[in-house]
Amino acid sequence: MPPPAPPTVLVPSERAVVLLSCVLSALGSGLLVATHALWPDLRSRARRLLLFLSLADLLSAASYFYGVLQDFSGPSWDCVLQGALSTFANTSSFFWTVAIALYLYLSIVRTTRGPRAGRLLLAFHVVSWGVPLAITVAAVTLKKIGYDASDVSVGWCWIDLEAKDRVLWMLLTGKLWELLAYVMLPVLYLLIRKHINRARLTLVLALATLISAFGSSFQYGYNVAAINSPSQLMKEFYNETYYDRTSNYLSDFSLTLLWSLSVSMFPFGGLVGSLMVGFLVNKFGRKGTLLLNNFFSIVPAVLMGSSEAAHSFEIIIFSRLLVGICAGLSSNVVPMYLGELAPKNLRGALGVVPQLFITVGILVAQILGLRSVLANQKGWPILLGVTGIPAALQLLLLPFFPESPRYLLVQKKNHEAARKALRRVRGWDDVEDEMEEIRLEDEAEKAAGFISVVKLFRIRSLRWQLISIIVLMGGQQLSGVNAIYYYADEIYKNAGVAEDNVQYVTAGTGAVNVVITILAVFVVELLGRRILLLLGFSICFTACCVLTAALVLQTTISWMPYLSIVCVLSYVIGHALGPSPIPALIITEIFLQSSRSSAFMVGGSVHWLCNFSVGLLFPFIQEGLGPYSFIIFAGVCFLTATFIFLVIPETKSKTFMEINQTFAKMNNVSEVYPENEELREIPEERKKLPEEIELPEEAELPGEPKVAEEQKELPDKLKSVSEELKAVSEGLKELPEKLKSVSEELKAVSEALKAVSEGLPEEPKQLPPSTVKL
């Protein structure tokens, strides 16, 4: 049995600080109670809840006040009483804090008049008073409360440190509810804030996000990592298959070449998929392309799953190409689809979800790739074939969700379908403001039309947008994220991790990646894209620099390998916070509808080319530079962060038109697409010319460089016009004689008519009306 805890020595300064805190807490709570008692007009439902919170805080302050003044030295009756009172008051305070936040959420989000008081207020009383009271009574009855002689509780009477299950009771008597309050309050705040911004995460939008990201982005991450764990088993399969065919084993060079093809076909397929994005999304739409993309996942999943039974490693290499095409399409189309579905205040959070599912895919592949799960002789074909399951689910469920409203309105010109899709994803009928925003975007782009990749490089008004995505996508891959994962196993082994346990540490690194990406989903709309990019690349830069020093000194200083592990984890955290999820989101935001698909083709091509280059060149860089190879990645991180600081603007909570107007100023143009800006300078008289009048081919509009030549030809033209006017005047002089001749001819006609009339009867019959012609 452990010896009794020694008496706690109270430092006078500490006693003074605690007493002052108790006095201030009691003063604040007392003022709120007095306000409620003196002014009946202020007794609203929310203030009544605040009153109960104040009573709990007042009781807590009183118990701490007594506990600090009394020098406890053991579990006396007043120590137990003080501990029980502070436990009840603190726990109740946490519950009432959450109750107030929940009431505000229900008042603001769920109904305009606020929730009905009756049963809700009764439920708050039962939970906020009853649960703490039951826990406190149980703790006192079971003799869990006593003298703890620690700095954990202010009054030094809380949970008896001699109790074997003291950790459980510490959680039940306060810490668990405190953590619950810390989690609930930010969540409720974010929900209220989103509702105040009007647009909210509807069920349709949430499910469309999850299905599209799980069915596509998940496969990208899964196929990146699924081939790593069973690599040795797959090489043995390649060798045995070749032996069955030829009775000879593969040479080391041939085996390495085949394995390199198996690995490199994935990024090569990603490049091919990126080049297909523009045609497919404009032909079949965003949702249609995602549905078509499932072909590039289900077919290779079946092929890879049956490769061992078919005794063919060629099937695996071909299938890796197909899943690479799937990854190339999904990495571009999913952010585009979600960015066009999401309202502007949720665009950042939903834009990070694809990267979240990429990290989840990597983690799932690492878990299923454990040797005790599927990375064994019988399980590795199943491990490769699992990628078809998310695709099959997406193929079944995604057709029930709407197409991108922007695609329907801008490119398909189907206003009613776009309005219907907006109503489904927004959850309300009044979507005319957003329809008008899309129409304005459409009007701004009509002059430019569809912008191909070639035209994208020529348009001045998109110059800095294009440079930005090339730098961001290149910096994302050239910053060394794949090299870090490649080198991580060796770092873990040097730190003393057993070879059999490295796989578990690697899975733990993947779990850290997932957690930080989840954090990015919640903070991207609070901090903004620019801050996360700068913070992420700065962390990666620091981690690469320190990692270089740690690798150089790991043989001379014993604790350097552990510092290397810290650097790896820091790099993973930094990259997951900004460089991994944000660049694809930025592409969606800084390009308008007519250029967005081509921009994703460029960004995706840069992404996969850099990915392929790092995977191909890093082993040679590592062999040549050794631990100093990470200095190159540090330089890339520094240059990318500098570019972001100088060029990339913040796009949080801005419409696509507002973002492009910002870039228009950077590009020194007055509009988003100013190519036809000179048409505005045509005079109004010129605009009013009849359509049948055509300008000669050699005619040029005002403002062209041939104005000076036309001015030189002006005197000759004026001379020609003068001669034509003179000829007209000569013709006018001959007009009287011509009129006289006409008059004589009319007189002769008149006499002839008279002679004819004398030969007719005196009273001629009237002609029938039907023969009269006007």
Side-chain angles (χ1 to χ4, degrees), residues 468-480:
S468 297
I469 65 168
I470 291 175
V471 172
L472 287 178
M473 299 305 287
Q476 180 193 65
Q477 293 301 311
L478 297 179
S479 59

Side-chain angles (χ1 to χ4, degrees), residues 668-696:
N668 293 322
V669 295
S670 58
E671 297 292 345
V672 177
Y673 295 115
E675 283 67 28
N676 295 332
E677 193 176 89
E678 64 272 11
L679 295 176
R680 299 180 191 161
E681 301 177 2
I682 300 176
E684 292 297 327
E685 293 78 14
R686 181 76 171 273
K687 293 180 182 179
K688 294 179 181 179
L689 286 174
E691 294 181 359
E692 61 269 19
I693 298 179
E694 296 182 359
L695 294 175

Side-chain angles (χ1 to χ4, degrees), residues 18-39:
V18 175
L19 290 175
L20 180 60
S21 301
C22 292
V23 170
L24 293 177
S25 178
L27 180 62
S29 301
L31 288 175
L32 289 171
V33 173
T35 301
H36 189 273
L38 296 176
W39 286 283

Side-chain angles (χ1 to χ4, degrees), residues 21 69 74 93 164 194 247 467 687 751 761:
S21 301
L69 290 178
S93 177
K164 295 182 179 180
K194 290 176 183 176
S247 299
I467 295 173
K687 293 180 182 179
E751 290 176 355

Side-chain angles (χ1 to χ4, degrees), residues 170-411:
M170 284 180 179
L171 290 173
L172 290 177
T173 56
K175 291 301 178 183
L176 177 62
W177 317 115
E178 184 178 0
L179 293 173
L180 179 65
Y182 290 154
V183 172
M184 289 280 294
L185 293 179
V187 171
L188 292 174
Y189 166 75
L190 290 174
L191 293 175
I192 293 172
R193 187 172 180 268
K194 290 176 183 176
H195 180 79
I196 292 174
N197 290 335
R198 193 171 187 268
R200 63 182 184 273
L201 185 63
T202 60
L203 181 62
V204 173
L205 182 57
L207 291 178
T209 302
L210 293 177
I211 291 170
S212 59
F214 176 66
S216 296
S217 301
F218 175 89
Q219 299 177 71
Y220 175 10
Y222 185 86
N223 286 294
V224 165
I227 201 172
N228 294 333
S229 299
S231 59
Q232 192 60 39
L233 297 171
M234 293 176 67
K235 290 178 182 178
E236 293 175 2
F237 167 70
Y238 287 10
N239 225 345
E240 292 172 1
T241 301
Y242 187 78
Y243 180 82
D244 292 339
R245 295 176 184 176
T246 65
S247 299
N248 292 312
Y249 288 107
L250 288 165
S251 64
D252 292 341
F253 176 80
S254 299
L255 182 60
T256 303
L257 179 61
L258 285 176
W259 182 248
S260 298
L261 283 174
S262 302
V263 175
S264 60
M265 278 296 104
F266 182 76
F268 179 74
L271 175 61
V272 174
S274 297
L275 296 176
M276 297 166 59
V277 168
F279 170 75
L280 292 179
V281 296
N282 291 318
K283 179 70 175 179
F284 302 104
R286 281 59 168 154
K287 185 182 79 170
T289 302
L290 290 177
L291 292 174
L292 180 64
N293 193 33
N294 293 314
F295 166 81
F296 296 107
S297 179
I298 295 175
V299 171
V302 175
L303 292 177
M304 288 190 293
S306 59
S307 59
E308 186 181 29
H311 298 286
S312 173
F313 53 78
E314 295 87 354
I315 289 179
I316 296 177
I317 297 174
F318 176 68
S319 299
R320 289 284 293 176
L321 174 65
L322 293 182
V323 294
I325 294 175
C326 173
L329 284 170
S330 65
S331 62
N332 292 287
V333 180
V334 176
M336 188 189 309
Y337 177 58
L338 297 182
E340 294 178 4
L341 278 185
K344 63 181 181 181
N345 62 304
L346 292 177
R347 196 168 58 229
L350 297 187
V352 176
V353 170
Q355 180 62 33
L356 171 61
F357 274 85
I358 290 175
T359 61
V360 172
I362 293 174
L363 178 60
V364 171
Q366 290 171 340
I367 294 174
L368 295 180
L370 296 176
R371 285 186 284 275
S372 58
V373 184
L374 289 177
N376 48 54
Q377 196 67 41
K378 295 182 178 180
W380 69 263
I382 301 175
L383 177 65
L384 299 181
V386 167
T387 183
I389 297 176
L393 291 175
Q394 186 185 71
L395 191 62
L396 292 174
L397 299 176
L398 192 60
F400 296 99
F401 293 90
E403 177 59 273
S404 162
R406 292 180 179 272
Y407 169 77
L408 293 172
L409 195 151
V410 175
Q411 289 170 279

Side-chain angles (χ1 to χ4, degrees), residues 375-449:
N376 48 54
Q377 196 67 41
K378 295 182 178 180
W380 69 263
I382 301 175
L383 177 65
L384 299 181
V386 167
T387 183
I389 297 176
L393 291 175
Q394 186 185 71
L395 191 62
L396 292 174
L397 299 176
L398 192 60
F400 296 99
F401 293 90
E403 177 59 273
S404 162
R406 292 180 179 272
Y407 169 77
L408 293 172
L409 195 151
V410 175
Q411 289 170 279
K412 303 299 289 185
K413 307 301 180 184
N414 193 335
H415 290 243
E416 191 56 38
R419 185 177 288 105
K420 183 178 179 181
L422 267 179
R423 287 172 177 170
R424 285 194 65 193
V425 296
R426 296 294 178 266
W428 55 70
D429 293 333
D430 184 14
V431 295
E432 293 307 314
D433 290 343
E434 197 163 355
M435 287 287 291
E436 183 61 27
E437 177 200 332
I438 301 176
R439 289 193 196 99
L440 290 175
E441 180 182 338
D442 186 25
E443 291 294 330
E445 296 186 288
K446 277 183 177 178

